[in-house]
Amino acid sequence: MRLIRVFFEKRDRAKYISHLDLTRCMTRAFARTDIPAWFTEGFNPHVYMTFALPIPLGFEGLRESFDFKLSEDGYPLERVRDQLNAALPPDIRVLEAAAAVRKPEAITWADYRITLWDPAGGEALAADWDRLLAKPAIPVEKKTKHKIQEMDLRPLVTQLGRRVEAESLTLDLRLPGGGAMNLNPNLLLGALWADRGREAEYVQVVRTAILTGDLAPFA
Amino acid sequence: MIPANIDRQLLKVQKPARYCGGEMGSVQKDREKTDLRFAFCFPDLYEVGMSHLGMKILYSLINAQEGMWCERVFAPDTDFETILRREKIPLYGLESFDPIRDFDVVGFTLQYEMCYTTVLNMLDLAGIPVRAADRGEEWPLIIGGGPCACNPEPMADFFDLFQLGEGEELMLDFLALVRQAKREGLSRRELLRRAAQIPGIYVPSLYDVAYREDGTVAAVTPREGAPAKVQKRIVKDISAMYFPENFVVPFTEAVHDRAMVEVLRGCIRGCRFCQAGYIYRPFREKDPEVLDGQARTLCTATGYEEVSLTSLSTSDHSRLEPLMEEMLPWTQQRKVNIALPSLRVDNFSPRLLELVQKVRRSGLTFAPEAGSQRLRDAINKNVTEEEVLATARTAFEGGCTSMKLYFMMGLPTETMEDMDAMLDLAQKVVDLFDSLPNRPKGRGVQVTISVACFVPKPHTPFQFEPQDTLEQFREKQKHLLETVRSKKIRVNYHDAATSRVEAILARGDRRLAPVVEAVWRAGGNLEGWDEHFSPQRWEDALSAAGLSGDFYACRRRDYGEVLPWDHLDYGLTKAFLIREDKKAWESVTTENCREKCAGCGANHLLGGACFEAHSGVL
Ligand code: B12
Ligand code: SF4
């Protein structure tokens, strides 16, 4: 039995599917192939599959991943990739299947490219964003299962890049990701809307990379 | 790629996956290489329409033709509709995002009367004038099909034509004509005239309907060479009939999210209230080998974990046992579950019962439809109390502690005693449970009786019968609630107002078209959903049109009356329907088609006897 990590991108039409739907889609994709995937045991056996960092509905992902187990150790990994690609809808593409290197707990950061459009224009958006980022603290309320928690987002946000265009603002951000601490960009955007008094007309979020603590791509 | 103007809106709505396609199995084609674009519209939400087998069949069939591209269109929910209207985004096909008003043909499946206003709303969202008379050459042909096409008169003003019966062959004949018309530059008028010559196609604008003073139909007169009667189409050999090798597999869950193979068409039972049991006649089975192959192909292509053996009455397939024997090994090996809806266990061999029990795990439901044996005989529902109790006993002994019984109220010949008999039957099930020494311990039994309001439908023996009035329905519902004593019996019923509108539309005539339009203009849409249905809108529109709901719903039709759908021939003779209605009033049953042919006429569609054993008898 080998633990295999499948890296894939999820774009365009596929960005509107939820995590649950993505899991079901992958399960059925496996059923359309002859990949010898290991099934869970028990009352309702299904392909064992874990997603290290589920991607929220509405986000595109350039290098997402999930793990499964090959019950035939020698099964070629290029075949895993090609078979899955033949069995998946066009907007979900497998980039690579490889033996899992790091444990999912190693995931620490996620990089996002966020593009905001607004009739107010890119300059105005940029001004609003800079004002938010210049604050000593960005307090928000984070709802967890049991309670509402106060937290400060400011120290969690690293800005890697910022591009202003006539109607839009594009931000490259590095945010905490992973089991220990995870910041959904929507929480940060919520703070921006609250601060500027309204939402941008249109937002696109792309998760561009998932990184470990040493800033290496999760492998 | 999702066009930016649509992409910008999708995160603002519930379940955006309904509106952007891209599922596994959805078909992309090159616009440059297609000369015929077809929009298959299901006038209800995505999750409802994606469960419809008819759509899957026709979608694949059309897309299997070179140069033709069929796309899916569903009704948007109200949140997305608001956005579409505000942003002026015309209704589009899920495959290409192109506006369907630019397509050649826009086809609606008419499965349920309460979807009629949704049809108009979808046309309007597409930017297409709803009335056929207001559409010039530049608009797509608007066509309809499906079970409600058996009396499409209330929708006649909105459609260019209807296809009656089964689409697998008829659709291709029709599309060949459309292609030819495009090539030759035929006018719409000429195309419709020629379409009317294709057996199974009904072009309502080629028929004049005259009414009597009392509101009944005087005559329906064809014009321009259209046939006096349009006979529905069937496919004689359904084993050789087209069937898809792949389905679109939705991302987001549908009501029925599974592979389906249709094991048979038609029904031998002849329950007198059931429209499907008549309009899909004659009974035809698919060969087990064909079914097994189709099921395998579909499961491989879709990756579904369940395959359903669908039909109106799956256990009436004469070779279900070999089929199950064939399917069990590979489905178990591939961990695919077999679903068997519509089962009657009365005619099972012990081996078949064993095979079925291996796969069956759904809850226990039973549809006696009527409480007393007398009424069950009147409606020709061939279920006895002993069968209900025997099934309940097996289930309870197997650990089950609840049972659901489906009934109808307002059936022809029904009395209050029949109502009481429903509760008696439920009580007998409760008593049976309590009497079992080996009943599941610790929990009590729960019997739910679910009581629907009877809707008389065209092409059934009860097409002549009045529906109960709202007052009668409500009185009966009240009576039921008052007489139920046991906490172990729960009564479910539906508001009668929906069933009344259903009844009005089911047996309606063309004078209802302005009513449907007025209800839609007053906001009627997605009315199959309780939260969107308003009976008042219908009453208002009817009185504004000077029509009476009772005339359509609660009136007994004389056997000699010209019915609005008499020119649509579903293979059944009126004499047969009259005979069956009379037998209902005498509480006399009719044998099922396999036992003895009742002479309904549908065998003529086959050109021979329905069952080999009967050949030579007719
Ligand atoms: C699967 C199913 C569902 C699914 C999917 C929805 C659907 N309508 O299919 C679910 C579970 C969601 C469902 C819900 C409901 N259903 Co339902 N359902 C069925 C069922 C079992 C099969 C339908 C099917 O796929 N048939 C097989 C295909 C191949 O047949 P077909 O649809 O007739 O299609 C052929 C032709 O008619 C034609 N054709 C069909 N469409 C079109 C369109 C065009 C343009 C053309 C040219 C030709 C064409 O070509 C096809 C191939 O030959 C039927 C019963 C039955 N066995 O027929 C009931 C049935 C359609 N349902 C019915 C009802 C009442 C309901 C509900 C109201 C139940 C409820 N109370 O909520 C809802 C309504 C939802 C809705 N908007 O339709 C009734 C409709 C009665 C009526 N006319 O009023 C039926 C007939 C059951 C019955 N015995 O009464 N249903
Ligand atoms: S012709 Fe006879 S056997 Fe055939 S459907 Fe009619 S009643 Fe049944």
Side-chain angles (χ1 to χ4, degrees):
Chain A
M1 190 113 64
R2 279 175 85 191
L3 186 68
I4 304 300
R5 189 154 292 157
V6 175
F7 296 93
F8 65 97
E9 59 173 25
K10 169 182 176 274
R11 310 189 64 166
D12 200 37
R13 306 195 197 212
K15 75 181 169 208
Y16 293 109
I17 64 182
S18 66
H19 177 62
L20 186 73
D21 292 344
L22 180 65
T23 317
R24 191 169 40 232
C25 170
M26 286 293 179
T27 307
R28 288 174 178 165
F30 270 101
R32 295 190 276 259
T33 70
D34 58 19
I35 298 170
W38 182 77
F39 274 66
T40 59
E41 277 142 22
F43 183 67
N44 186 14
H46 55 273
V47 176
Y48 165 87
M49 214 187 293
T50 56
F51 287 75
L53 195 63
I55 184 160
L57 185 149
F59 291 12
E60 290 184 309
L62 299 190
R63 199 174 166 84
E64 299 295 309
S65 76
F66 70 87
D67 296 351
F68 78 102
K69 289 175 180 171
L70 265 182
S71 49
E72 257 173 50
D73 285 0
Y75 193 87
L77 296 181
E78 312 77 68
R79 258 187 82 80
V80 170
R81 181 197 59 206
D82 295 345
Q83 290 238 351
L84 280 176
N85 274 337
L88 281 167
D91 292 337
I92 301 175
R93 291 293 87 194
V94 172
L95 308 167
E96 188 190 354
V101 181
R102 307 287 303 265
K103 287 204 164 20
E105 296 81 68
I107 295 176
T108 318
W109 305 103
D111 287 355
Y112 296 91
R113 167 160 290 186
I114 303 175
T115 310
L116 317 170
W117 280 266
D118 201 78
E123 289 294 350
L125 279 167
D128 291 341
W129 167 251
D130 293 346
R131 195 175 61 244
L132 182 75
L133 216 59
K135 295 195 176 189
I138 310 176
V140 296
E141 287 184 342
K142 186 174 177 172
K143 287 193 198 83
T144 59
K145 271 192 198 108
H146 307 290
K147 52 180 188 238
I148 295 174
Q149 202 186 329
E150 270 279 328
M151 65 185 288
D152 178 11
L153 299 185
R154 185 58 198 90
L156 307 179
V157 180
T158 310
Q159 181 172 300
L160 305 172
R162 168 183 169 287
R163 199 173 70 238
V164 185
E165 269 165 59
E167 286 177 6
S168 67
L169 167 70
T170 301
L171 303 169
D172 285 310
L173 303 181
R174 177 161 298 156
L175 305 177
M181 173 69 188
N182 191 49
L183 173 55
N184 183 325
N186 282 335
L187 200 62
L188 182 62
L189 290 172
L192 178 61
W193 311 152
D195 192 59
R196 73 193 282 266
R198 64 198 162 89
E199 294 188 16
E201 194 171 282
Y202 178 43
V203 181
Q204 260 183 2
V205 183
V206 184
R207 185 147 77 189
T208 51
I210 295 174
L211 309 169
T212 55
D214 48 7
L215 297 182
F218 176 62
Chain B
M1 274 285 277
I2 308 181
N5 63 330
I6 295 170
D7 195 41
R8 287 179 172 225
Q9 308 304 330
L10 288 176
L11 279 179
K12 300 175 187 164
V13 300
Q14 295 286 316
K15 306 192 194 170
R18 286 164 168 174
Y19 308 119
C20 59
E23 309 91 329
M24 192 64 198
S26 67
V27 176
Q28 288 296 327
K29 291 199 177 187
D30 182 351
R31 286 182 187 78
E32 302 305 311
K33 294 189 182 123
T34 51
D35 64 344
L36 205 160
R37 305 274 304 263
F38 192 108
F40 194 104
C41 303
F42 194 101
D44 208 325
L45 300 180
Y46 179 92
E47 47 271 44
V48 176
M50 282 301 289
S51 312
H52 176 221
L53 179 58
M55 172 182 238
K56 294 174 193 292
I57 294 174
L58 296 176
Y59 178 81
S60 300
L61 174 76
I62 299 169
N63 280 323
Q65 314 304 313
E66 177 125 15
M68 298 187 188
W69 191 6
C70 179
E71 303 191 28
R72 296 161 299 143
V73 188
F74 303 95
D77 207 344
T78 43
D79 57 348
F80 195 47
E81 169 175 357
T82 307
I83 290 176
L84 290 176
R85 290 192 186 278
R86 191 186 61 215
E87 302 296 322
K88 303 199 167 48
I89 301 170
L91 196 63
Y92 53 85
L94 284 185
E95 279 68 10
S96 67
F97 294 106
D98 290 337
I100 62 170
R101 63 166 179 235
D102 299 333
F103 285 34
D104 300 291
V105 184
V106 172
F108 284 89
T109 186
L110 302 175
Q111 297 281 317
Y112 180 38
E113 294 82 358
M114 299 312 290
C115 296
Y116 286 179
T117 49
T118 310
V119 170
L120 300 196
N121 200 49
M122 287 174 76
L123 284 173
D124 187 58
L125 279 170
I128 299 173
V130 298
R131 292 191 156 260
D134 296 338
R135 292 191 295 260
E137 301 287 334
E138 71 276 27
W139 298 103
L141 278 169
I142 310 298
I143 73 169
C148 293
C150 76
N151 177 27
E153 293 301 275
M155 296 297 279
D157 289 1
F158 313 115
F159 281 83
D160 294 305
L161 61 88
F162 298 96
Q163 296 188 14
L164 310 189
E166 295 167 9
E168 284 84 353
E169 294 172 357
L170 177 52
M171 182 63 89
L172 296 184
D173 293 351
F174 165 70
L175 292 178
L177 173 67
V178 174
R179 204 173 236 173
Q180 186 196 0
K182 276 186 84 167
R183 213 179 304 121
E184 295 176 11
L186 296 186
S187 71
R188 167 162 312 211
R189 198 77 229 140
E190 179 56 24
L191 182 146
L192 291 178
R193 229 178 267 134
R194 291 197 198 177
Q197 300 303 320
I198 298 177
I201 291 189
Y202 171 48
V203 179
S205 57
L206 296 182
Y207 295 79
D208 292 324
V209 183
Y211 298 90
R212 294 178 201 285
E213 239 164 67
D214 65 3
T216 60
V217 173
V220 177
T221 320
R223 279 189 287 112
E224 299 173 51
K229 279 205 169 208
V230 183
Q231 190 174 68
K232 77 153 178 173
R233 283 282 283 273
I234 64 157
V235 179
K236 287 185 188 171
D237 178 2
I238 65 168
S239 291
M241 175 176 74
Y242 176 83
F243 194 74
E245 292 176 355
N246 197 2
F247 282 179
V248 179
V249 181
F251 287 125
T252 149
E253 220 155 352
V255 182
H256 289 165
D257 195 12
R258 58 195 186 193
M260 292 178 235
V261 291
E262 207 182 354
V263 298
L264 57 86
R265 273 202 184 156
C267 182
I268 60 172
R269 297 282 157 181
C271 303
R272 294 182 178 126
F273 56 86
C274 174
Q275 187 183 45
Y278 290 91
I279 61 170
Y280 287 101
R281 285 181 181 213
F283 177 86
R284 287 146 294 154
E285 300 180 346
K286 264 192 203 179
D287 294 338
E289 310 78 63
V290 173
L291 287 167
D292 182 61
Q294 291 176 342
R296 277 180 207 248
T297 307
L298 263 186
C299 288
T300 309
T302 59
Y304 269 129
E305 48 295 298
E306 181 163 82
V307 55
S308 155
L309 305 182
T310 62
S311 77
L312 292 170
S313 182
T314 297
S315 41
D316 284 326
H317 196 291
S318 62
R319 285 182 289 160
L320 191 56
E321 195 172 316
L323 175 63
M324 294 289 289
E325 298 272 17
E326 200 67 48
M327 287 183 69
L328 272 176
W330 67 263
T331 51
Q332 291 192 333
Q333 188 240 325
R334 294 204 214 167
K335 302 180 180 66
V336 170
N337 178 49
I338 302 178
L340 286 163
S342 329
L343 278 196
R344 306 172 50 104
V345 283
D346 52 327
N347 51 355
F348 275 25
S349 70
R351 171 66 184 151
L352 185 54
L353 206 57
E354 190 190 321
L355 290 171
V356 165
Q357 270 157 4
K358 277 194 187 154
V359 301
R360 194 138 169 102
R361 52 175 195 205
S362 50
L364 183 63
T365 61
F366 212 100
E369 307 292 3
S372 70
Q373 191 58 46
R374 187 210 57 81
L375 187 51
R376 283 195 294 272
D377 287 346
I379 61 174
N380 207 36
K381 179 81 194 188
N382 191 4
V383 164
T384 62
E385 187 173 303
E386 290 72 55
E387 278 163 357
V388 177
L389 295 178
T391 314
R393 173 186 289 267
T394 320
F396 292 154
E397 285 174 343
C400 204
T401 58
S402 67
M403 182 168 188
K404 201 163 181 182
L405 297 171
Y406 287 92
F407 292 104
M408 268 185 284
M409 69 169 95
L411 287 163
T413 79
E414 180 187 77
T415 62
M416 276 301 176
E417 285 82 74
D418 297 308
M419 298 292 296
D420 294 335
M422 288 183 204
L423 286 179
D424 293 345
L425 186 57
Q427 188 60 48
K428 280 180 189 156
V429 174
V430 171
D431 294 344
L432 170 85
F433 182 89
D434 291 339
S435 74
L436 291 177
N438 50 349
R439 66 177 180 266
K441 293 283 173 285
R443 278 186 298 163
V445 65
Q446 183 73 59
V447 178
T448 305
I449 65 173
S450 177
V451 192
C453 297
F454 171 64
V455 179
K457 297 264 167 139
H459 303 284
T460 70
F462 292 160
Q463 67 177 3
F464 308 105
E465 296 290 336
Q467 187 184 45
D468 271 1
T469 61
L470 284 180
E471 294 67 42
Q472 285 171 308
F473 276 133
R474 288 186 180 141
E475 195 190 320
K476 287 178 182 177
Q477 286 168 344
K478 202 165 137 245
H479 179 77
L480 255 186
L481 289 180
E482 280 168 3
T483 41
V484 59
R485 291 274 141 67
S486 167
K487 280 210 167 70
K488 295 171 179 171
I489 300 175
R490 200 182 345 205
V491 178
N492 277 350
Y493 61 86
H494 212 91
D495 182 42
T498 306
S499 310
R500 176 179 166 87
V501 174
E502 238 183 280
I504 293 170
L505 292 172
R507 291 186 295 172
D509 54 36
R510 290 189 184 182
R511 296 175 306 163
L512 287 176
V515 175
V516 175
E517 187 174 339
V519 170
W520 162 65
R521 290 200 187 277
N525 180 33
L526 296 173
E527 290 182 294
W529 301 82
D530 284 347
E531 64 265 39
H532 296 303
F533 174 67
S534 142
Q536 197 53 49
R537 269 195 305 246
W538 285 93
E539 297 303 335
D540 292 348
L542 281 163
S543 39
L547 296 170
S548 132
D550 284 349
F551 172 84
Y552 294 102
C554 310
R555 183 172 62 89
R556 172 177 301 287
R557 274 73 166 164
D558 201 73
Y559 290 143
E561 181 176 327
V562 178
L563 300 172
W565 55 92
D566 274 353
H567 57 301
L568 306 180
D569 174 5
Y570 273 66
L572 313 163
T573 64
K574 208 166 178 178
F576 163 76
L577 296 178
I578 293 170
R579 216 155 59 224
E580 283 294 305
D581 187 45
K582 286 183 176 159
K583 282 170 91 176
W585 283 94
E586 294 155 9
S587 305
V588 174
T589 60
T590 295
E591 286 95 337
N592 74 49
C593 291
R594 189 169 266 140
E595 291 165 350
K596 185 165 173 265
C597 172
C600 74
N603 60 313
H604 295 293
L605 298 168
L606 286 173
C610 295
F611 293 89
E612 260 172 54
H614 302 168
S615 45
V617 180
L618 271 179

